[in-house]
Amino acid sequence: MVVFPGHKPVRNIKEEFHRIAGLPNVMGCVDGTQIPITAPAENEADYVNRKSFHSINVQMHSNVSSVITGEFDGYLLGDRGYQCQPSLLTPYPDPEPGTQQRFNVAHCRTRARVEITIGILKSRFQCLQKLRVTERACDIIVACVVLHNIAIIRGEQHLAVQINDPADDHPIPADVQDGRAARDLMARNYF
């Protein structure tokens, strides 16, 4: 239940992301969240996060429909906490007026999906606000993600999907090895 691309064709996923703010070839968004836990008896210091409480750091990829996914084929969008890479695009740190600012606005609007997904997951499963276990915490988190995906997927069965042609007029060349170069090409070609 946590697989990629999951129950939707890749083309549909890319089109749904493109409709948000015009970013092409986006397959998902990535973000992390801290799930608070009770302090474990062993290796207690390993679970103290930068905010000085015990937690498990969970990284998630999600699609437009808030389904939490695994691997990807296209671009992931991440925040400034991630290093810009050819397949993981981040916003410009100090955008120049014009294409870079427009790229950042589109990036922010599109990447908000993963933050919404994390909010939905944590509100759907209140136990994720503070797990009172340590040994089985990861199993509980995975179970919540699987149940979340089942709920989202079953709800989607009632949605109509419109198929449009993909926006691949200016694809990013596959040989681009630098994340900043890939981001620059996308900003120039689309914004």
Side-chain angles (χ1 to χ4, degrees), residues 2-153:
V2 184
V3 296
F4 191 83
H7 67 289
K8 284 187 174 182
V10 169
R11 180 179 176 154
N12 290 23
I13 293 169
K14 289 179 180 182
E15 288 170 354
E16 288 173 347
F17 274 114
H18 186 263
R19 281 191 289 255
I20 294 171
L23 286 170
N25 205 28
V26 173
M27 288 299 297
C29 300
V30 61
D31 202 3
T33 187
Q34 300 289 330
I35 305 292
I37 61 170
T38 301
E42 294 181 26
N43 303 318
E44 180 266 342
D46 292 343
Y47 293 89
V48 177
N49 64 27
R50 64 183 172 84
K51 295 182 180 178
S52 299
F53 65 88
H54 296 90
S55 68
I56 293 179
N57 187 6
V58 179
Q59 180 173 302
M60 296 183 195
H61 306 151
S62 76
N63 67 19
V64 172
S65 304
S66 296
V67 172
I68 298 166
T69 60
E71 297 176 15
F72 60 94
D73 175 28
Y75 296 113
L76 282 179
L77 302 181
D79 63 19
R80 289 184 176 98
Y82 295 92
Q83 181 180 356
C84 189
Q85 299 177 20
S87 59
L88 175 60
L89 301 181
T90 60
Y92 286 96
D94 296 308
E96 295 178 11
T99 59
Q100 290 184 2
Q101 282 184 338
R102 289 190 298 273
F103 173 87
N104 275 11
V105 168
H107 183 282
C108 181
R109 285 184 57 206
T110 306
R111 203 190 70 76
R113 294 296 181 197
V114 71
E115 294 174 359
I116 292 167
T117 300
I118 290 170
I120 292 169
L121 176 71
K122 285 184 169 182
S123 67
R124 178 175 276 144
F125 298 100
Q126 294 292 309
C127 66
L128 297 179
Q129 300 299 323
K130 171 80 172 165
L131 288 175
R132 288 180 231 124
V133 297
T134 53
E135 291 181 20
R136 305 293 300 199
C138 291
D139 293 336
I140 292 168
I141 294 166
V142 170
C144 290
V145 167
V146 169
L147 292 171
H148 165 85
N149 282 355
I150 291 170
I152 295 292
I153 292 168

